[in-house]
Amino acid sequence: MRRSSSTLTRLLGAVAGLALAVAGAVAVAAPAQAATLTQVTGFGSNPGNLAMYAYRPDGLPANSPAVVLLHGCTQNASGYFANSGWQKYADQWKFALIVAQQPSGNNANSCFNFFEAGDTTRGQGEALSIKQMVDHAKANFAVNGSRVYVSGLSAGGAMSAVMLATYPDVFAAGSIIAGIPYRCATSMVNAFSCMNPGADKTPAAWGDLVRGAYSGYTGPRPRVAIWHGTSDTTVTPLNGTESRDQWTNVRGVSQTPTSTSSLPANTSLEVYGNDDVRLYRVSGMGHGTPVDPGSAAEQCGTAGAYFLDTICSTYRDALFFGLNGGGTNPTPTPTATLTPTPTPTVTPTTPPTCVTASNYAHVAAGRAYQSGGYAYANGSNQRMGLYNTFYTSALKQTAPNHWVIGC
């Protein structure tokens, strides 16, 4: 029987990955008329007690690629499938989607347990459950075992790093969106500090953690794309840089980019080695998966909580994975040097009537102040709880610079 969540694990679930909202279900077997997202049962021993969903586009040929998707906290499989934009490109370029779902019984807020050693070690827990999903897809959907990829947001992004580290023999490449480096967090307690303010290690130290995940492995290591918003206060941008250090070291390339480019939505792209690692920095973006709703070739997704209207990260990742069947990649505008845009200071002059955010964000936005480690609402001086990114409050504005708790 799967272990039940402790109080501390529930707290992390509520906080540590704070990403991703939505809801749903998913589909698998070959459809008679239209493909749909469907739950798959009996895919293995499933020691992590996860749910598996799959999507197989109509006309999916044998030996097709597959992408594993990992949602963030408070999200589920169908919501991430519906809003991230992956279905569009799966239909267009014919590849399968495997969507893992974390039940609330494992984690109160449905976060993948990226901080638990028993779930982040090769051959154990949630990591093994996800690997068994891939095995099932290879055996039953005729998936090409050499063309399997993984992508996730926040807690799912951290879990993507787990899968790339523990199963380099399974995944050819992956995408880490607003995640943290592999094995930065090894307990619920230090998961908080890894998320914010982040941990600074040498590239070699980070790389050793990955190499230790599969001791003795000498085969190829996956290529990695990293996405991070410069205004992310939930999982701070330092994590994007440290993830870059980890995976460039694992791939054996320099931490100095071989090229830099300017992309839409104030996004910068740094490429390392021979396209071994990519680091996308989305200027001014907070915590979420970058999407760009619309019907153009480079547009995808639906904007909402933790799906942020900026640039279609799914399109870029699909090209990075080579899922377009050898089509032409978009040509970015090269720049001589990369000058990251400083994180803007959030100081709205006309705040919304009602805002739900972390206490840290409320203080940063001028809706509250901090004293003695606690946050207090401006005007009413009501105590909101600890001043950090893990305590969330709803504040209502009742007069200029006067806020009260509750909406």
Side-chain angles (χ1 to χ4, degrees), residues 137-214:
K138 289 192 292 186
N140 294 276
F141 307 157
V143 161
N144 185 338
S146 66
R147 301 188 66 197
V148 179
Y149 311 90
V150 62
S151 177
L153 165 66
S154 192
M159 203 67 191
S160 289
V162 168
M163 301 312 297
L164 295 170
T166 56
Y167 291 102
D169 51 335
V170 173
F171 297 97
S175 173
I176 301 168
I177 305 173
I180 65 173
Y182 173 69
R183 280 290 166 96
C184 178
T186 55
S187 70
M188 189 272 314
V189 174
N190 69 354
F192 294 147
S193 59
C194 283
M195 290 164 54
N196 189 335
D200 186 2
K201 298 181 186 290
T202 66
W206 284 126
D208 286 345
L209 292 172
V210 171
R211 286 182 284 271
Y214 186 4

Side-chain angles (χ1 to χ4, degrees), residues 275-322:
D275 209 13
D276 294 82
V277 175
R278 293 185 178 188
L279 174 57
Y280 295 88
R281 305 180 197 261
V282 187
S283 180
M285 189 183 78
H287 190 69
T289 295
V291 297
D292 181 18
S295 58
E298 299 181 19
Q299 290 185 296
C300 73
T302 304
Y306 306 114
F307 294 96
L308 306 180
D309 189 351
T310 49
I311 183 173
C312 174
S313 57
T314 295
Y315 174 70
R316 307 279 164 175
D317 284 343
L319 296 180
F320 180 63
F321 297 162

